[in-house]
Amino acid sequence: MEEELIGAVPCSSLAVDSVLRVGTAGAIWGSCIGPYDASKRGLTGVARASFVAKTIGKFGFQCGLVAGVFTATCCGIQRYRRQNDWVNPLIAGAVAGAAVAAGTRSWTQVVGMAGLVSAFSVAADYSKTF
């Protein structure tokens, strides 16, 4: 069914869908890990609430960013190449990983994250075929 949607739905719509779904999952993860980290830091009251809210926003944004960049890139490459193979998630994973690590301003981390996300993307795409 996913292959049918890729050809019929614009890449921007698929990217927005991914941002909303994975961004929500990231926000949920942030709401789980935020209070734990706040307790480890010894925060209470307003400082704790502010820390938890920032953590929720940070995780939601980062997860949504990765999902949006990956989906838009993968869809665009697939439409350009007119092939649905392992190369699409390989390139899209590298772009998404580099986009996330770009904030560190360290080429070592950008290259490492691009390779890591790219490898996981290809592995996940390969496992879908079984």
Side-chain angles (χ1 to χ4, degrees):
M1 182 174 148
E2 185 175 315
E3 287 78 23
E4 296 169 6
L5 285 178
I6 296 282
V9 178
C11 290
S12 58
S13 296
L14 294 172
V16 168
D17 180 57
S18 293
V19 167
L20 292 175
R21 289 175 188 240
V22 179
T24 302
I28 291 170
W29 174 251
S31 68
C32 294
I33 198 72
Y36 175 75
D37 284 347
S39 295
K40 280 179 63 175
R41 293 176 184 231
L43 299 175
T44 59
V46 175
R48 179 184 176 97
S50 174
F51 180 81
V52 170
K54 288 178 185 176
T55 303
I56 292 170
K58 181 178 82 170
F59 277 95
F61 177 77
Q62 287 176 344
C63 291
L65 174 69
V66 171
V69 170
F70 177 81
T71 303
T73 306
C74 192
C75 179
I77 291 169
Q78 181 177 348
R79 289 191 180 173
Y80 178 76
R81 294 180 65 232
R82 290 183 172 80
Q83 293 180 359
N84 187 15
D85 57 4
W86 61 272
V87 176
N88 301 338
L90 179 79
I91 296 169
V95 171
V100 170
T104 65
R105 298 178 189 259
S106 167
W107 279 106
T108 305
Q109 290 183 349
V110 169
V111 171
M113 185 60 80
L116 183 69
V117 174
S118 182
F120 277 118
S121 300
V122 170
D125 188 60
Y126 182 74
S127 69
K128 284 192 321 186
T129 60
F130 291 117

